[in-house]
Amino acid sequence: MAVLRLPGNQPTKLWQGRGERRRLRSMKARSPAASATARNGCFRVLGVDPASAGPTGYGIIESDGRRCRMLHYGALKVAPKRQKECLGAVLQEVHALLCRLMDEFSPDALAVESVFTALNMRTALRLAEVRGVVLLAAAQRGVAVHSYSPREVKASVAGYGQADKKQMQLMVRALLQMTETPEPADAADALAVALCHLQGEQVRQRFGVPDVSRSTKLRAQPRAARAPVPRGDATHNMRRAS
C-alpha cells in the first residue's frame, strides 16, 4: 500500500480517493439520448394480411438482431351495414387504419401477402383492390413494401408450405414468445408475414445476400445498354468469319 508523508500532516492513503471516483463513475445512469439510440437500433416490420370479404389482419413486430417481440396486432372487420352503404367502405377503413399504424409505430418496412392465384376471378379482384390500398398507404408514408406468397410465409415460419392456420398460430406464438395464442387467425397470418420478412432481412444482412430483383436488373442493364453492331462493321465481319 502506497503512503505519502507530507511535512506537518498525517499520512495520506492514495488509493482511497481513486476507488471512490471509480464507484461514482459506475453509478451514472443512462441518458435519454442513449436509450433512444438503443431503441432506434431495432428493426420494425408491419405485416398485413389483406382479405376480400373477411377481416384484414395486421401485426407489428421488431427485432434487435437477437430476439423478436410483438408490439401490436389485430384484425379489421367492417360491418356489413357499412359495406352496403358505401362500396369503398372497406378500402377506406383499411387505408385509414394502415396510415394510423404507420404514423404511430413508424415501421421500417411493410410486408404483405401476395394474391393467391388459385382464387376465382371475382375474389382475386377484390383482394387486389385491398392490396392496392395497402401499397398506396405505404407509398404515401415512404415505407418500403415487400410481398410474399402464402407458401413462402408458411415455409419460413412453420417450416412447411402446407401448414394450416392452427399450426401457424402456434408457431407465431412460440417465435414471438407470446403468453396467448394470437386471435383471430387473420391477425396471426399478418404476424407471420412480418416474421417472414424479418427472418429474410436478417439473413441478407448477416451473409450479404443481394436482393434478387436488384441483381436481376443489374444483369439485364448491360444487355439493354449494348448498342447493336452495324452490318458493315469490321468487328461484325470478323465474328462471321470465325
Side-chain angles (χ1 to χ4, degrees):
M1 180 178 62
V3 178
L4 177 64
R5 292 184 179 274
L6 298 177
N9 294 330
Q10 297 295 329
T12 303
K13 298 179 181 179
L14 298 180
W15 59 269
Q16 289 181 348
R18 296 175 182 174
E20 291 177 359
R21 286 196 294 270
R22 284 197 296 267
R23 285 201 301 270
L24 288 175
R25 266 190 222 105
S26 62
M27 292 172 61
K28 289 183 179 179
R30 295 183 61 184
S31 62
S35 301
T37 302
R39 186 167 56 252
N40 293 335
C42 296
F43 188 79
R44 189 171 293 181
V45 183
L46 168 60
V48 181
D49 178 33
S52 58
T56 296
Y58 57 90
I60 302 175
I61 63 175
E62 70 175 8
S63 173
D64 58 357
R66 293 174 295 179
R67 59 183 296 271
C68 304
R69 69 187 186 101
M70 181 274 302
L71 300 180
H72 184 64
Y73 72 94
L76 174 64
K77 177 64 176 178
V78 182
K81 183 179 179 180
R82 167 80 170 140
Q83 297 185 28
K84 291 180 181 180
E85 294 175 354
C86 180
L87 294 177
V90 176
L91 305 181
Q92 182 181 6
E93 295 292 338
V94 171
H95 182 270
L97 171 66
L98 294 180
C99 291
R100 186 169 65 251
L101 290 175
M102 285 185 283
D103 291 339
E104 181 179 356
F105 293 96
S106 300
D108 300 296
L110 187 147
V112 60
E113 258 195 11
S114 59
V115 179
F116 190 43
T117 56
L119 300 175
N120 59 67
M121 184 61 65
R122 185 175 182 180
T123 305
L125 289 176
R126 287 183 178 179
L127 186 59
E129 290 176 352
V130 179
R131 192 170 181 273
V133 171
V134 175
L135 302 181
L136 172 62
Q140 291 176 340
R141 293 302 187 274
V143 179
V145 180
H146 304 268
S147 181
Y148 299 92
S149 66
R151 187 182 295 272
E152 286 179 309
V153 176
K154 293 178 180 179
S156 176
V157 176
Y160 177 53
Q162 299 294 334
D164 56 14
K165 290 188 175 295
K166 189 63 178 178
Q167 290 176 325
M168 294 297 293
Q169 287 177 291
L170 295 177
M171 287 302 301
V172 168
R173 176 180 178 178
L175 291 175
L176 294 177
Q177 300 179 3
M178 301 173 63
T179 57
E180 58 183 9
T181 303
E183 294 286 349
D186 306 275
D189 292 341
L191 291 172
V193 177
L195 277 171
C196 177
H197 174 69
L198 190 57
Q199 292 175 359
E201 187 67 21
Q202 289 176 348
V203 170
R204 284 190 290 269
Q205 292 182 359
R206 184 172 302 176
F207 299 101
V209 179
D211 192 358
V212 177
S213 59
R214 184 178 179 183
S215 62
T216 304
K217 292 179 181 178
L218 291 177
R219 286 196 302 268
Q221 185 177 1
R223 295 182 180 179
R226 186 183 301 166
V229 180
R231 285 283 181 177
D233 195 356
T235 306
H236 178 72
N237 296 334
M238 290 176 60
R239 288 177 181 174
R240 292 188 59 184
S242 59

